[in-house]
Amino acid sequence: MKKIITLLVVAIVATTSNTYAQYASDALRFSQTNYGSTARFKAMGNAQVGVGGDISSLGGNPAGLGLFTKSEFSLTPEFNQTGMNANYLGQNTNTDKSELNVNQIGAVFFMPAYKQKGQDTKKGLISAVFGLGYNRTNDYSGELNYGGSNNKNSIADYFAELGGSTTPNNLATGSLERMAYDNYLISYDSPANNYYPETFAETASPNMQRKNEVRSGSISEFNFSGAVNVSNQFYIGASIGLVDLKYNSDAQYEESGKAREYDAGGNLTGANINYKLLFNQSQTTKGSGVNGRLGVIFRAAEGLRLGATIQSPTWFIIDDTYTEGLDNRGTIRGTTASKTYDFTYNLRTPLKGSFGASYIIGGQAIISADVDFVDYASIRFSTDNSADRGLISDNNTDVRNNYKSAVNYRVGAEYKLNNISLRAGYGLNGSPYKSDNDGFFDTKMYSGGLGYRVNNYYIDLAYQRVEVENSFSPYTLNNASEPLAAVKNTKNNVLLTIGLRF
């Protein structure tokens, strides 16, 4: 029962419509990012905060650059396969989508400090390292399909609730309730001062419901980083990240069944008619932002390194275009209409604090572990447009009411055998939902891989599997009786890093 309640709350937040909940769920989506990483650290569960010496430090703990002793270049292409298994009204549907991407590319430049003759070369400033790189911190690609037979309610119930007590003459032009009323999907009850659906939803005449949604886009960063090595014991680094956001979603909901029939004059005929409606939704979101990181690594003892980093919020400027339309051609009344909503807003994502440790065993193996703290309730919207301040306030309230702080952790290991390295790791990103006290919506990551190094060249291969459970609903109802699709989302990623030291 507790899991069902959690699914209902999350589905309401995640459902996309022209209500403010759309923007709150988008804000969460754009706030859930990971540190950039090469195939080496992806294979080690991305546990890198206390390790360093890898070009991943450009998008992770910048202090790790201080452990470089040479300049370096690396490139990481990846293959992503996303699978979604949805259970909706007792019916299972599987959908897969694959693509190739560039996950990471970067270079670092090593500069030893000048030492006068006779100075201790192992004390004071030993070296400085600067770097720049690109990395993807989240990927939104995927396709979701679900469908089934519903004998309890219809999307027309949702349209009727949107109408509320507004009389037909006062329904907003272009609104969903206006479209539904013009198509005889809902009618107005004058004595009751509300709307009711014209569709049937009963055991003898269930509705057939189906939804398809295709998503694409990503969040990527271009980082400028620098670090210094002090006495081969303290490593201090900082970075600035320029962030690019792209998110696209195209969804179509289809419903068919029986409804009461009207003639050309708008009068009931007393008969029933087959109907088929399409509810189309399209979203295009683009944004740019900036963030910063400060990090340290400390050699606490022989083989033991401790690291910490603070990643500032990302300050985004976001342009969002959302279009929704109801297509009912050739069925009840035979009209189609749509409306587009444009919204520009500022978004501040949460600050992230991370701590990590690593330990080298016998010069042949390394184990590492990281932990992050992220407070998703601190997400904030703002705007320079006074007309949108009410909407902004609703979004901020929705964030505070539904999201909470979360703890992420990662563990990894590497074992070197001559020129070959074997790696494995595990990570978990905690659920951001207040209603999820049992961690049903945690994101779990399993990984493994190997590497080969010879002279100044190296190649690393990693496999990562990401699993998360979520829920979606094509519409919401005031009594929370809407149908839910319980979705298990899996991502299978293969990454290959090619590197050169010079």
Side-chain angles (χ1 to χ4, degrees):
M1 177 60 69
K2 186 182 293 184
K3 185 169 184 178
I4 292 174
I5 294 172
T6 299
L7 286 168
L8 288 172
V9 172
V10 174
I12 291 171
V13 173
T15 299
T16 302
S17 71
N18 65 324
T19 63
Y20 64 82
Q22 173 196 345
Y23 302 109
S25 60
D26 282 348
L28 176 62
R29 180 181 293 113
F30 304 149
S31 298
Q32 293 178 301
T33 58
N34 297 300
Y35 290 128
S37 178
T38 59
R40 180 194 177 200
F41 279 138
K42 275 288 192 289
M44 294 175 63
N46 211 16
Q48 57 172 291
V49 173
V51 183
D54 186 276
I55 211 163
S56 296
S57 299
L58 287 170
N61 182 355
L65 297 178
L67 282 89
F68 275 79
T69 57
K70 286 186 176 182
S71 299
E72 188 170 316
F73 168 83
S74 79
L75 169 67
T76 306
E78 66 176 340
F79 171 77
N80 308 120
Q81 184 270 332
T82 302
M84 292 194 184
N85 175 272
N87 185 294
Y88 184 76
L89 297 169
Q91 181 173 325
N92 279 310
T93 307
N94 289 293
T95 311
D96 294 324
K97 185 179 180 181
S98 303
E99 64 177 7
L100 291 170
N101 290 300
V102 174
N103 180 271
Q104 175 272 335
I105 183 170
V108 298
F109 303 94
F110 172 77
M111 291 176 289
Y114 172 76
K115 296 285 187 180
Q116 292 183 351
K117 188 176 181 179
Q119 280 187 307
D120 189 343
T121 59
K122 296 183 180 180
K123 296 293 183 181
L125 180 64
I126 304 298
S127 61
V129 179
F130 297 93
L132 66 163
Y134 163 89
N135 60 82
R136 289 163 64 93
T137 58
N138 208 339
D139 178 75
Y140 300 124
S141 296
E143 182 173 358
L144 174 64
N145 285 284
Y146 56 85
S149 176
N150 187 344
N151 61 5
K152 297 187 182 300
N153 51 58
S154 158
I155 196 171
D157 292 277
Y158 168 65
F159 297 148
E161 290 183 358
L162 288 178
S165 60
T166 304
T167 59
N169 290 336
N170 293 318
L171 289 176
T173 302
S175 65
L176 283 177
E177 52 270 34
R178 176 86 258 175
M179 299 178 204
Y181 182 80
D182 290 343
N183 278 275
Y184 296 114
L185 289 171
I186 62 175
S187 294
Y188 184 70
D189 184 348
S190 296
N193 199 31
N194 60 21
Y195 292 85
Y196 59 91
E198 291 286 2
T199 59
F200 295 111
E202 53 192 33
T203 303
S205 182
N207 304 306
M208 297 304 299
Q209 301 179 338
R210 194 169 304 278
K211 185 166 184 179
N212 167 263
E213 183 174 1
V214 179
R215 299 175 179 175
S216 63
S218 65
I219 291 183
S220 57
E221 287 185 357
F222 193 84
N223 300 106
F224 301 87
S225 305
V228 294
N229 173 354
V230 181
S231 302
N232 288 320
Q233 189 170 22
F234 291 96
Y235 306 88
I236 305 169
S239 68
I240 295 293
L242 304 180
V243 187
D244 182 64
L245 162 65
K246 293 186 175 99
Y247 177 75
N248 298 289
S249 173
D250 290 292
Q252 183 175 80
Y253 170 82
E254 176 184 321
E255 182 178 297
S256 59
K258 295 281 188 180
R260 296 198 298 176
E261 184 182 46
Y262 285 81
D263 61 23
N267 300 307
L268 284 169
T269 66
N272 296 329
I273 188 175
N274 293 323
Y275 76 93
K276 178 181 178 180
L277 66 87
L278 302 176
F279 175 37
N280 298 310
Q281 297 167 291
S282 177
Q283 179 183 349
T284 300
T285 304
K286 296 180 180 179
S288 58
V290 62
N291 61 32
R293 296 185 183 91
L294 291 173
V296 296
I297 292 178
F298 172 59
R299 291 184 186 267
E302 183 66 28
L304 176 64
R305 300 175 192 168
L306 304 177
T309 186
I310 294 178
Q311 177 177 309
S312 77
T314 299
W315 289 275
F316 278 114
I317 299 175
I318 295 177
D319 294 315
D320 184 275
T321 298
Y322 172 71
T323 301
E324 60 184 5
L326 193 59
D327 188 339
N328 202 41
R329 287 173 289 185
T331 53
I332 300 176
R333 180 161 180 168
T335 65
T336 179
S338 64
K339 187 170 182 177
T340 297
Y341 301 85
D342 293 316
F343 186 36
T344 297
Y345 59 95
N346 304 317
L347 177 68
R348 188 194 72 198
T349 68
L351 178 146
K352 179 192 290 186
S354 304
F355 176 80
S358 66
Y359 188 72
I360 299 174
I361 305 172
Q364 256 186 317
I366 183 172
I367 56 174
S368 58
D370 293 350
V371 61
D372 306 330
F373 178 82
V374 189
D375 184 8
Y376 293 105
S378 67
I379 294 170
R380 287 295 178 270
F381 293 85
S382 63
T383 181
D384 297 325
N385 187 346
S386 59
D388 292 329
R389 285 175 185 163
L391 178 60
I392 290 294
S393 177
D394 288 340
N395 273 281
N396 286 328
T397 299
D398 196 56
V399 166
R400 289 191 295 268
N401 289 343
N402 290 287
Y403 303 145
K404 65 176 182 179
S405 60
V407 175
N408 310 328
Y409 66 84
R410 301 173 292 277
V411 293
E414 177 182 69
Y415 179 76
K416 293 182 179 180
L417 186 63
N418 297 322
N419 292 334
I420 303 294
S421 297
L422 305 178
R423 303 166 182 133
Y426 173 78
L428 184 145
N429 289 346
S431 170
Y433 298 107
K434 275 188 176 180
S435 58
D436 185 12
N437 296 319
D438 297 322
F440 291 117
F441 297 98
D442 292 345
T443 300
K444 300 174 183 178
M445 296 164 282
Y446 308 86
S447 58
L450 51 88
Y452 177 75
R453 276 165 167 71
V454 58
N455 299 324
N456 291 323
Y457 303 92
Y458 63 89
I459 182 169
D460 296 313
L461 180 68
Y463 166 75
Q464 180 191 56
R465 180 178 175 86
V466 182
E467 298 180 353
V468 61
E469 294 185 20
N470 215 319
S471 63
F472 300 91
S473 179
Y475 53 88
T476 58
L477 299 175
N478 292 336
N479 63 1
S481 64
E482 67 273 4
L484 288 174
V487 179
K488 184 174 183 179
N489 185 347
T490 59
K491 285 182 176 289
N492 296 289
N493 305 318
V494 178
L495 301 96
L496 179 70
T497 297
I498 301 170
L500 166 67
R501 292 181 176 178
F502 57 93

